Amino acid sequence: MKKMSILRTWLLAGCLAFPLFAGNVIAQDEPAPEPAAAEEAPAEEEAGPVDDYLEMVDGAGAEYAPAFDFFAVSMLWTVIAAALVFIMHLGFATLEAGLTQSKNTVNILFKNVWIISVGLLTYAAIGFNTHYPGSWQIPGWLGIGTPIGDLNADGGDGWGYGGLGLAMTGFGDFIFQAMFAATAATIVSGAVAERIKLSSFMIFSTILVALGYTIAGSWHWGGGWLGSLPGDGFYDFAGSTVVHGFGGAAALACVMLLGPRKGKYVDGGIKPIVGHSKPLAAIGVFLLFFGWFGFNGGSVLSANPGPLGLVFTTTALAAAAGAVTSIFTSIIVLKKPDLSMALNGILAGLVSITAGADSVGVWASVLMGGVGGVIVVFSILFLDKIKIDDPVGAISVHGTCGIWGTVAVGIFGGANLFSQIVGVVAVYVFAFAFAFVLFLILKVTIGVRVSEEEEAEGLDVAEHGAPAYNIT
Amino acid sequence: MKKMSILRTWLLAGCLAFPLFAGNVIAQDEPAPEPAAAEEAPAEEEAGPVDDYLEMVDGAGAEYAPAFDFFAVSMLWTVIAAALVFIMHLGFATLEAGLTQSKNTVNILFKNVWIISVGLLTYAAIGFNTHYPGSWQIPGWLGIGTPIGDLNADGGDGWGYGGLGLAMTGFGDFIFQAMFAATAATIVSGAVAERIKLSSFMIFSTILVALGYTIAGSWHWGGGWLGSLPGDGFYDFAGSTVVHGFGGAAALACVMLLGPRKGKYVDGGIKPIVGHSKPLAAIGVFLLFFGWFGFNGGSVLSANPGPLGLVFTTTALAAAAGAVTSIFTSIIVLKKPDLSMALNGILAGLVSITAGADSVGVWASVLMGGVGGVIVVFSILFLDKIKIDDPVGAISVHGTCGIWGTVAVGIFGGANLFSQIVGVVAVYVFAFAFAFVLFLILKVTIGVRVSEEEEAEGLDVAEHGAPAYNIT
Amino acid sequence: MKKMSILRTWLLAGCLAFPLFAGNVIAQDEPAPEPAAAEEAPAEEEAGPVDDYLEMVDGAGAEYAPAFDFFAVSMLWTVIAAALVFIMHLGFATLEAGLTQSKNTVNILFKNVWIISVGLLTYAAIGFNTHYPGSWQIPGWLGIGTPIGDLNADGGDGWGYGGLGLAMTGFGDFIFQAMFAATAATIVSGAVAERIKLSSFMIFSTILVALGYTIAGSWHWGGGWLGSLPGDGFYDFAGSTVVHGFGGAAALACVMLLGPRKGKYVDGGIKPIVGHSKPLAAIGVFLLFFGWFGFNGGSVLSANPGPLGLVFTTTALAAAAGAVTSIFTSIIVLKKPDLSMALNGILAGLVSITAGADSVGVWASVLMGGVGGVIVVFSILFLDKIKIDDPVGAISVHGTCGIWGTVAVGIFGGANLFSQIVGVVAVYVFAFAFAFVLFLILKVTIGVRVSEEEEAEGLDVAEHGAPAYNIT
């Protein structure tokens, strides 16, 4: 009985919370598609998907035929790229888990499940429409969107809301951007690992992804004020600053308020707290590299072969250069070929090329990634020296290299250097301030940190009642 | 000598077992393609792939040009989607391994290697052609197919057996469907884990995927009787019932015959047997989520931008909603934010949207997934209460949520509710009965369960002679 | 101060090492693209990607429209395939780590990070242009390329260097081939694991991928002498010999010079040194299977639906057959269903179909893969018997099955059997000799093997100063 009433409460809550679903139901005029077809050619009168498609193209006029085909392939790339960005979340989850202690693994995995889920939902509820007329906003500066509706219904031509002006349908645009939004919030997760209170993190990350990221994003994407800066405006191709820098700066604010893990900085020295599984960390970085092809490649926003090939190449070469320089830097500075540094070097290279992947040459991309691989090592060591305890190096990888990558487009990619710097400062300051205020409010109200006992015991048992491993 | 004779036996067996290979050899008229091309534009007289393509299009008539291009992009999506569905098998393998004990890990991985392999082979041998004229069959009800041949040769136009009536070639159709077939059987694997006899499982899963799944599938896909139900017939877009429900119902039959693991239900209480690696489980679920974009997205059966974007969006939002509601349900019911429940909540959301991903609105998809996330928690607890021991929750995720997802299309997606219920009942009863009879035969003949000693020792050493881990 | 001077050294080194970057900077004429678009259709005057595309197509003449669309979809497939081949490197990393001892895991992961990174960079620096006029070369036999420049700039038509003669741009061609190059070198990594000196391996693998692979590759791809052999020349579709055989033969040379691991062959017997994590090994093989769809499928070099579907199907069925036959072979020979053999059977099937994936029928592919699955078991046992210590079975999987797969195209795929054998012998002898000489030089100079103490302690601590695991 009790359970049934809980169920009833949920169903009721669902109906109240999602009053829009009824209006979005698509009339199901046509019967189920049939995945199977006869081995002989189907009868002429039966219309297949190609016939449907031809009819639509015919209706639009013959001269549009190649445009429609290009639209279809661009849209396909958009959704595949969205799936690739999605798998970056598994990369973040495993990387963070691998670089931290085994007693906090369940907690890290749980946080990553939370972020991708709540990020997708809030982006549908208020994020996506932030940039668009009709939402409450100070255009170009601030806005809170309305929930998305049927993005296929608007704009006509059967191609979703953008017609042929954008090489993807509204849903393609939505799902690709929604995956980006969740990325910004997940960067914080690693930096605050091993001592943050779960409930506070859940609230913080929800608000950060729902309001913080979308506001900063609207400054850049969707015709915000950063586009009006000198030159052709602030240039950040796929988000070195707007996604990675945003996450890194927010993470810095949280770590400053949260304080280091117990036992990290004792007697004036730095005591390393080693991660529990290098294979998990390596799986994470390779998956992030893999997914970055969607992150950067999808930001071409079409399947235009010229930029697509360039972006794949600069992305891969920058990652490779970041790995190689971080390896040699670690050999020189740390006197050993450090795997964690090599892995972070790959990510450093990737963040360093993200702002300019479409607008620099291949050897500039190697230089940008390579410098990123050096920077990340020194940044990690420097933050440790000033007692900013970031267990996975997220602030250095995303924050520090985000600055370098964005500025480098002003050096190698033809962007206006002044505008690049203004953009970086604006987004970083906003992200830091937004996260600082929000996290401070949580700190003085419900608290942001687990007790010393819980931290010593590990968050897995303390917060979730279950350890991550039970290998006998 | 002995080894050579074994080798000879194998080769002979191969020749006897595969008498068809000779007839399928494609004449190799053209020399090796050259991945490399000169930096200058190639000489005019050398025909490249684009020239070959243009010639084919010209032959078909100019008005077909856009159709051919759409066909090409749709076919590309089909094979990519097949690869994504393939990677779900790694997801199942790691999820099942993570949620069970480390002493049974090799066994679980082995079973998953077996299923995907034998599933692909039997689908080529008899599964694919089940639906097609020429096979032995009671049309729409029952059939056993003939082995596939050269699916590029039939139908003409150079596009495989379907001509332009289907937006993919015969091989595209085959490989996508073959990956689906193996999925149905792998669902059983998790439910029977930790105590099933390997040989029995190998026989059972082979027959289930080769005969059971294909028969049920032919009722729905390929013009079966479910399509003649009232309204526009039974509607199950990508297989909430026909794939996931089928697997869940079959799993239930097996678990009932197999009995619970030793020590699970003792003294009237339920003793949890905890899984050995949450990271493995999380990797599994994220990979399943990733692959589901191919499972549902590929079921659009073309690269039609409208439905493609909708399906990606509804799929992702339902999964996210399932995670969020299962998290809060676990907090309320279990008094802790349970990671396993959150992971199963993602899968519950995915199964719940699979039947209607193309025919409901975004907020309906959130509701459908969200309800699935609640249902799965109660279903897992309920099955445990009635002593149905399902170590990974497969029956609840795929079976219970498969019912909900299919019925929900009758509520939110315009399908005929009566037909939905009839379809669910028919497929579930058939899957349960098929699995029950088959497993019962195995039980009374060779036995389906390992000895108590083997179960205590673990199947890895008992069945495979090797443990999964040796971490020093 | 010291750190700053290191930084300065790096920056300087970067500028000296990459003098080309400046010339490759692409003028950034257009402002940032805008991922977001208004929900209403964009204003007519704003040119989107589709308009840009249409303008380009119009400029080329209406009759080229379908060709341009086909080019775009083929190029998309090329870069996606490159990403899939990339993820094979995670597959190799986890497979090798899983099949070796936990004390050498960091070392294995590190080597795999190194190879993919340095492989991409050297392929850009000298590898890619090896085949092309302008490089220093004995055409068709030997060459060292010049660094790549802006591959989008040459050839005109906005489609990169190949115009419409090749269904991809220059950057697409580059990134796909670069991923292949790194694959050849990574095969060696597993065979020499657990006792090779890191510095020697880093030098060896760099030279192997930069010079060795590219020379052998140029014999086959890019109009080399193997194409002039009788029949239509040596046929190796995606590289059973040129990639996998090359790696396997090079690995054999290294293992012969390196010697077996301590304790492997003692008192005339073989003492198995068991791997430390079967789940890691399984993750590796499934990811390799997944990536192989890009390896073989991308080698179609276009999105031509006919061959694409065939290649996906033959690839999957051969892998499945390899798994099944290796399972039964292990049951017969080893008296147990061995998971490692099943996993290697999948890879054996994949290598066995790689040379002929586009030119044999489905049942021939089953036979080829199935024979590969038998061969690999006997090859592994045989190499162990003659004291060739290959911890992961790489020589058998890639070397032995590479021979079978290449020769089998002469039996089932219409290729000239004599040419196949000549090609195999040439590439294997070259790879073996190249690796042998190079590794021998390293052996007599800096040494190739760690000390006995380091081997006993494990390379993770000895070489990298950090263990892979710290699970509490």
Side-chain angles (χ1 to χ4, degrees), chain B residues 25-366:
Chain B
V25 175
I26 288 171
Q28 188 196 344
D29 297 326
E30 288 174 300
E34 319 222 316
E39 276 206 353
E40 53 265 31
E44 286 296 317
E45 66 270 20
E46 243 190 279
V50 179
D51 299 294
D52 294 345
Y53 177 85
L54 274 184
E55 202 173 308
M56 188 154 53
V57 170
D58 278 350
E63 73 269 28
Y64 276 103
F68 272 73
D69 279 338
F70 181 69
F71 185 98
V73 61
S74 294
M75 173 61 186
L76 175 61
W77 171 228
T78 300
V79 293
I80 292 175
L84 289 171
V85 178
F86 167 77
I87 208 63
M88 291 174 70
H89 289 269
L90 175 57
F92 279 114
T94 50
L95 171 62
E96 293 171 15
L99 292 182
T100 52
Q101 300 167 87
S102 59
K103 66 184 179 183
N104 299 314
T105 303
V106 167
N107 184 255
I108 281 174
L109 299 173
F110 188 92
K111 287 191 299 180
N112 277 279
V113 168
W114 173 258
I115 289 173
I116 179 66
S117 301
V118 84
L120 290 170
L121 293 171
T122 59
Y123 207 73
I126 62 171
F128 182 68
N129 277 337
T130 300
H131 320 146
Y132 299 130
S135 301
W136 176 87
Q137 60 182 332
I138 304 165
W141 288 89
L142 199 62
I144 295 177
T146 49
I148 62 168
D150 182 0
L151 299 177
N152 272 345
D154 312 314
D157 287 337
W159 295 106
Y161 75 148
L164 284 173
L166 187 74
M168 60 186 69
T169 72
F171 281 121
D173 192 12
F174 166 75
I175 195 70
F176 184 65
Q177 289 195 55
M179 295 296 178
F180 265 61
T183 305
T186 205
I187 291 166
V188 179
S189 162
V192 298
E194 311 209 84
R195 74 274 203 201
I196 198 169
K197 201 171 164 176
L198 181 63
S199 55
S200 299
F201 181 80
M202 289 169 73
I203 296 169
F204 173 80
S205 59
T206 304
I207 296 174
L208 186 74
V209 71
L211 293 179
Y213 169 76
T214 50
I215 290 171
S218 76
W219 293 355
H220 174 43
W221 290 316
W225 68 272
L226 290 176
S228 319
L229 288 173
D232 287 312
F234 174 65
Y235 192 83
D236 186 5
F237 173 60
S240 279
T241 282
V242 179
V243 180
H244 296 279
F246 179 90
L252 178 62
C254 294
V255 170
M256 286 172 65
L257 287 167
L258 192 60
R261 289 166 292 174
K262 292 292 162 204
K264 181 72 194 286
Y265 305 114
V266 280
D267 306 329
I270 301 166
K271 203 177 136 242
I273 300 175
V274 295
H276 84 279
S277 173
K278 294 290 194 303
L280 270 185
I283 287 172
V285 168
F286 273 89
L287 287 179
L288 282 163
F289 193 159
F290 179 61
W292 227 289
F293 287 119
F295 196 92
N296 283 1
S299 293
V300 170
L301 303 178
S302 82
N304 201 338
L308 197 59
L310 174 65
V311 166
F312 265 71
T313 302
T314 54
T315 300
L317 290 179
V324 169
T325 59
S326 67
I327 284 171
F328 285 110
T329 307
S330 79
I331 290 174
I332 295 170
V333 178
L334 305 172
K335 313 298 176 206
K336 58 173 184 175
D338 189 87
L339 176 61
S340 299
M341 287 300 179
L343 294 173
N344 271 329
I346 288 177
L347 300 182
L350 289 165
V351 172
S352 299
I353 196 61
T354 293
D358 68 329
S359 53
V360 301
V362 282
W363 296 104
S365 77
V366 170

Side-chain angles (χ1 to χ4, degrees), chain A residues 436-447:
Chain A
F436 195 90
V437 170
L438 176 56
F439 210 63
L440 188 62
I441 293 171
L442 289 168
K443 185 173 179 175
V444 299
T445 52
I446 61 173

Side-chain angles (χ1 to χ4, degrees), chain C residues 181-200:
Chain C
T183 305
T186 206
I187 291 166
V188 178
S189 162
V192 299
E194 309 209 86
R195 74 275 203 200
I196 199 169
K197 201 170 164 174
L198 181 63
S199 54
S200 299

Side-chain angles (χ1 to χ4, degrees), chain B residues 3 10 21 24-26 28 35-37 39 48 50 53 69 75 79 83 86 117 148 152 159 171 463-464 468-470 472, chain C residues 66 69-70 102 129 132 164-165 173 221 235 276 278-279 289-290 305-306 312 323 328 336-337 361 363-364 378 412-413 415:
Chain B
K3 265 169 209 158
W10 271 110
F21 75 86
N24 296 324
V25 175
I26 288 171
Q28 188 196 344
E39 276 206 353
V50 179
Y53 177 85
D69 279 338
M75 173 61 186
V79 293
F86 167 77
S117 301
I148 62 168
N152 272 345
W159 295 106
F171 281 121
E463 295 266 27
H464 304 273
Y469 295 100
N470 185 27
T472 53
Chain C
D69 279 338
F70 181 69
S102 60
N129 278 338
Y132 299 129
L164 283 175
D173 193 13
W221 289 317
Y235 192 84
H276 84 280
K278 295 289 194 304
F289 193 159
F290 180 61
F312 265 72
F328 284 110
K336 58 173 183 174
W363 296 103
F378 288 105
F412 304 109

Side-chain angles (χ1 to χ4, degrees), chain B residues 33 35, chain C residues 77 81 176 180 221 237-239 293-302 311 358:
Chain C
W77 171 229
F176 184 65
F180 265 62
W221 289 317
F237 173 60
F293 286 119
F295 196 91
N296 284 2
S299 293
V300 170
L301 303 177
S302 82
V311 166
D358 68 328

